[in-house]
Amino acid sequence: MFKEFREFAVKGSVIDLAVGVIIGGAFSKIVTSIVNDLVMPTLGMLIGKVDFTNLFITLDAGDYQTLADAQKAGAPTINYGIFINNVIQFIIMAFVIFLVIRQINRLRRKEEKAPSSPTQKECTYCTTSIPIKASRCPQCTADLV
């Protein structure tokens, strides 16, 4: 069982997956920072100095100035501003992943279209298909040099 696990763990696909998860986690932090520190403040400024993290609806009769005040008081809230932040983060992540996959697919298409050198040639006497490096036809024994 240990031998099977070792073989599984060192396969290229498992290692690639682990690297992808680590890079994805780091990339997620970058996107979160872009959204929270750049996009949302700019968007909030454009629509009237609105702080999206403080957009919420309280489900009790209390009146709270900020989401932190409502949470401190233990009031139930619907935090639609945080939801908007998360939707924008998702859209940015999805768009970046789309661009990466699009580039990978473009590179794969170029690799598939790359002409390969011929491996077969035709005997000029009997028209049999033979390896390109052959100097004599195996069918009719003609010299091909």
Side-chain angles (χ1 to χ4, degrees):
M1 187 166 121
F2 179 72
K3 181 180 176 185
E4 286 180 60
F5 177 74
R6 189 181 76 223
E7 288 173 9
F8 169 77
V10 296
K11 280 186 180 179
S13 58
V14 174
I15 294 170
D16 291 344
L17 179 64
V19 169
V21 168
I22 292 167
I23 290 174
F27 183 70
S28 175
K29 288 180 181 180
I30 292 170
V31 171
T32 300
S33 177
I34 288 171
V35 170
N36 291 338
D37 301 330
L38 300 175
V39 174
M40 296 313 285
T42 305
L43 189 60
M45 181 68 91
L46 291 175
I47 62 173
K49 296 187 179 183
V50 176
D51 180 11
F52 280 87
T53 57
N54 282 320
L55 295 178
F56 65 97
I57 299 171
T58 57
L59 300 177
D60 65 1
D63 185 28
Y64 307 100
Q65 294 297 319
T66 65
L67 178 61
D69 293 341
Q71 288 175 340
K72 185 189 257 185
T77 59
I78 296 176
N79 306 324
Y80 66 92
I82 294 173
F83 176 75
I84 292 171
N85 280 354
N86 289 333
V87 168
I88 292 173
Q89 284 178 354
F90 171 78
I91 291 170
I92 291 172
M93 287 284 277
F95 182 70
V96 170
I97 290 170
F98 165 74
L99 292 177
V100 169
I101 297 298
R102 183 176 175 212
Q103 190 63 28
I104 289 170
N105 288 339
R106 185 178 294 160
L107 292 174
R108 282 187 182 162
R109 276 188 238 123
K110 284 182 182 178
E111 288 175 3
E112 290 172 2
K113 290 181 182 178
S116 60
S117 58
T119 60
Q120 297 284 319
K121 65 180 177 180
E122 197 171 276
C123 175
T124 55
Y125 299 102
C126 68
T127 65
T128 302
S129 182
I130 57 175
I132 195 87
K133 292 183 178 181
S135 60
R136 186 178 291 267
C137 176
Q139 186 69 27
C140 69
T141 67
D143 282 328
L144 301 173
V145 180

